[in-house]
């Protein structure tokens, strides 16, 4: 399981590190995850039980958000979309999330 460096966490999530550990170790946890889509789509959201399938052990998705329920997951997608629109003027969410990490790396590199 891979997690986005700037993980979006829903407001009702109490202990995101514990949830991340459970997701990595395929332990039972009842949350929804927002992931970067493997195909042409931008983002996907689904229940964490879906990640217990064998396919995801060999092809782990990149989790960009964790939410306690479906509505909160939709709110995370809306927040990412709004940030992307405000910062880039378009809604290419995959590229925005990649760019956000690159910009932070460039910023941190220029300080040292």
């Amino acid at each position: 399981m891979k997690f986005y460096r700037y993980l979006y966490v829903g407001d009702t999530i109490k202990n995101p590190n514990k949830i991340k550990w459970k997701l990595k170790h395929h332990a039972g946890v009842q949350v929804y995850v927002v992931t970067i889509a493997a195909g042409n789509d931008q983002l996907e959201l689904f229940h964490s039980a879906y990640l217990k399938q064998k396919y995801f052990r060999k092809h782990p998705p990149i989790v960009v958000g964790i939410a306690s329920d479906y509505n909160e997951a939709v709110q995370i997608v809306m927040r990412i979309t709004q940030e992307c629109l405000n910062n880039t003027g378009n809604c290419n969410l995959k590229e925005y999330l990649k760019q956000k990490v690159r910009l932070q790396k460039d910023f941190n590199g220029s300080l040292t």
Side-chain angles (χ1 to χ4, degrees):
M1 185 79 45
K2 299 176 183 178
F3 291 92
Y4 184 63
R5 171 179 261 156
Y6 306 108
L7 185 68
Y8 292 84
V9 179
D11 295 333
T12 59
I13 298 292
K14 301 288 186 230
N15 191 344
N17 289 330
K18 183 177 181 179
I19 292 172
K20 284 171 57 176
W21 185 91
K22 285 186 174 191
L23 288 170
K24 282 183 184 180
H25 294 90
H26 306 283
V29 61
Q30 301 295 315
V31 295
Y32 279 80
V33 294
V34 179
T35 65
I36 294 178
N40 292 333
D41 293 336
Q42 298 281 334
L43 300 175
E44 296 178 314
L45 55 101
F46 46 84
H47 194 273
S48 59
Y50 190 68
L51 296 173
K52 289 188 173 189
Q53 296 179 25
K54 288 182 182 182
Y55 174 82
F56 290 108
R57 290 184 187 244
K58 293 182 180 178
H59 305 92
I62 300 173
V63 177
V64 296
I66 300 171
S68 62
D69 60 26
Y70 181 82
N71 290 330
E72 195 170 62
V74 171
Q75 292 295 321
I76 289 173
V77 172
M78 289 173 48
R79 182 172 24 165
I80 294 169
T81 305
Q82 189 63 50
E83 279 181 21
C84 179
L85 187 59
N86 291 343
N87 291 318
T88 66
N90 63 41
C91 288
N92 188 349
L93 304 180
K94 281 184 179 180
E95 186 58 36
Y96 169 71
L97 293 170
K98 290 177 192 174
Q99 180 184 17
K100 189 174 175 181
V101 172
R102 277 196 305 265
L103 287 174
Q104 189 62 32
K105 284 181 181 177
D106 291 344
F107 180 73
N108 287 341
S110 66
L111 291 176
T112 55

